[in-house]
Amino acid sequence: MGFRAAFLAHLRALAASPRYRLMLAVFLGASWLTIATYRQGVMRELPIAVLDLDGTGPSRTVARYLDATPELRVLTDPPPTLEAAQEALDRGALAGVVLVPDGFSADLKRGRRAEILAAVDMSNVLVGRTASRTIAKVLATVSAGVELGVLQKLGTAPSAALAKAAPVVVTEAMSRNPGASFAVYLAPAFALFFVHLATLFLAWSVIWPAAPGRRPAEALGRWAAVLAVSLALALLSTYGLLRIDGIRPASPFPVVACSLLALVGAELLFAAALAALLGGGPFAFQSTVLLGMLSLMFSGLTWPWDVIPGPIRAVASALPFTPFGRALRIFLHEPAALRDLAGPLGWLAAQAAGFAAVIAASRAARALVARARARRTA
């Protein structure tokens, strides 16, 4: 069977296989659900309750300032007791509870330390971080206002008091700021992670069952079919599914396509190298799936690379998804050229060369073992 015939035959086999049709359905469904989770890019109008046990001007100022932020919405009819507020927080009806204790204003006037208790719902990390960050900013602003008044009463000139007390306010609730929106960096990471997994699974449609007598042209045709399907899935995720979150690549199509092609090609060589090194079969497949599942965690896309232990970083450096993660952050959000991706794409090329060397060495070793056994039996 020639290259073209093998290419078409493998495409037909993938399309006709219930197993691979199910895999495609799972890929599309998981990708859509994950990306849709981050569709609301920035948190807005999170409901919080302010329990004002002080009932004074400064305590009411805290509530007004909280309600004035775009991230939070202070309930006009809060729970009547702290226990009721905690129950609402536990069941997810509130994103946070702010307790202004009795004596808050008196402590401020007497120069004593005035405390406010805040509790947020961290069952959803994006909700919890947004609520806690916004509450902290508002309290810092109120505190600065109080300090300003105290300094002026002590005789400090207004301009000097303002310089000493006023905090620097930073606008961070922007749709492309990962500090305010997880969608900007998590949605692409997950979308391409599912492509990465699908590519590894598709690679095993060529690797197993083993066919030692397969002609090189036929083998290349089957690998090319898997490459084409995987690249199509990658393009679908990048230009189709990510649009759910309003994310579009900032780089030109050729740059994005080359980066995706580099990922898919390196992934196929990675799967083939593991199969060659471990002799194929169930153990090699399980090892491929295990390393594939860990690739997202090890890549540095969801956890800072510098705090990942050294031995794990060493393993991650050999996984194609790690350098691709670097390239993804560049071509997705910046109008990059291929020269701007020289670092991560060069890393992928080095990995691909290493995988090819492993495949060649494994085949040569098996050939030597086979010849040695043939000599012993002769």
Side-chain angles (χ1 to χ4, degrees):
M1 185 182 294
F3 176 88
R4 182 175 181 275
F7 177 84
L8 296 175
H10 202 75
L11 287 180
R12 287 193 294 267
L14 291 176
S17 169
R19 177 176 56 190
Y20 287 105
R21 287 205 302 266
L22 176 61
M23 187 198 74
L24 179 61
V26 170
F27 160 77
L28 292 173
S31 299
W32 180 84
L33 285 174
T34 303
I35 294 171
T37 300
Y38 301 102
R39 187 173 186 179
Q40 184 178 352
V42 181
M43 296 286 101
R44 288 287 187 266
E45 295 290 315
L46 297 175
I48 68 167
V50 176
L51 302 185
D52 187 359
L53 305 184
D54 193 48
T56 60
S59 64
R60 287 191 291 269
T61 298
V62 170
R64 287 198 306 271
Y65 279 27
L66 289 171
D67 194 45
T69 64
E71 295 90 350
L72 303 178
R73 173 174 55 85
V74 176
L75 299 184
T76 56
D77 186 21
T81 64
L82 182 59
E83 291 75 15
Q86 180 177 347
E87 182 182 350
L89 187 65
D90 291 341
R91 68 171 184 267
L94 292 175
V97 175
V98 176
L99 175 65
V100 184
D102 186 18
F104 172 74
S105 298
D107 289 339
L108 290 177
K109 293 176 182 178
R110 290 173 173 81
R112 295 196 297 260
R113 181 178 179 179
E115 295 184 348
I116 289 180
L117 176 65
V120 297
D121 179 11
M122 287 300 294
S123 62
N124 183 314
V125 66
L126 182 55
V127 170
R129 283 185 57 189
T130 302
S132 62
R133 183 179 60 246
T134 306
I135 291 171
K137 286 171 58 179
V138 167
L139 294 181
T141 302
V142 173
S143 175
V146 172
E147 185 178 356
L148 179 62
V150 172
L151 289 171
Q152 289 181 351
K153 287 181 180 179
L154 293 176
T156 305
S159 58
L162 182 62
K164 291 181 179 181
V168 176
V169 178
V170 178
T171 300
E172 56 185 21
M174 300 165 62
S175 62
R176 302 184 76 81
N177 181 357
S181 169
F182 279 11
V184 72
Y185 68 99
L186 273 189
F190 278 115
L192 275 303
F193 172 68
F194 286 121
V195 172
H196 146 81
L197 289 181
T199 302
L200 293 179
F201 276 100
L202 286 169
W204 277 83
S205 68
V206 180
I207 296 171
W208 190 261
R214 185 176 286 164
R215 295 172 54 195
E218 179 183 352
L220 286 175
R222 293 181 181 277
W223 281 111
V226 171
L227 180 72
V229 173
S230 300
L231 182 59
L233 293 177
L235 291 170
L236 172 64
S237 292
T238 305
Y239 286 97
L241 294 176
L242 285 179
R243 292 174 71 93
I244 296 173
D245 287 344
I247 299 174
R248 297 172 178 81
S251 298
F253 176 80
V255 173
V256 177
C258 286
S259 301
L260 297 177
L261 181 61
L263 168 70
V264 171
E267 295 285 5
L268 296 181
L269 284 170
F270 170 68
L274 271 182
L277 188 64
L278 301 178
F283 179 68
F285 174 73
Q286 291 164 358
S287 300
T288 304
V289 172
L290 175 62
L291 289 173
M293 293 297 293
L294 293 174
S295 291
L296 179 62
M297 183 189 304
F298 291 172
S299 67
L301 284 174
T302 60
W303 194 252
W305 175 259
D306 292 340
V307 302
I308 297 176
I312 295 180
R313 288 204 305 268
V315 174
S317 297
L319 301 178
F321 200 70
T322 300
F324 174 75
R326 309 295 192 278
L328 177 65
R329 285 177 168 170
I330 298 173
F331 74 71
L332 198 63
H333 303 301
E334 302 176 19
L338 283 176
R339 63 177 177 273
D340 300 317
L341 300 170
L345 293 187
W347 188 351
L348 273 171
Q351 287 181 338
F355 299 148
V358 168
I359 295 170
S362 299
R363 289 180 176 177
R366 285 198 300 272
L368 287 174
V369 171
R371 283 198 295 269
R373 287 176 178 173
R375 289 190 188 119
R376 284 199 300 267
T377 58

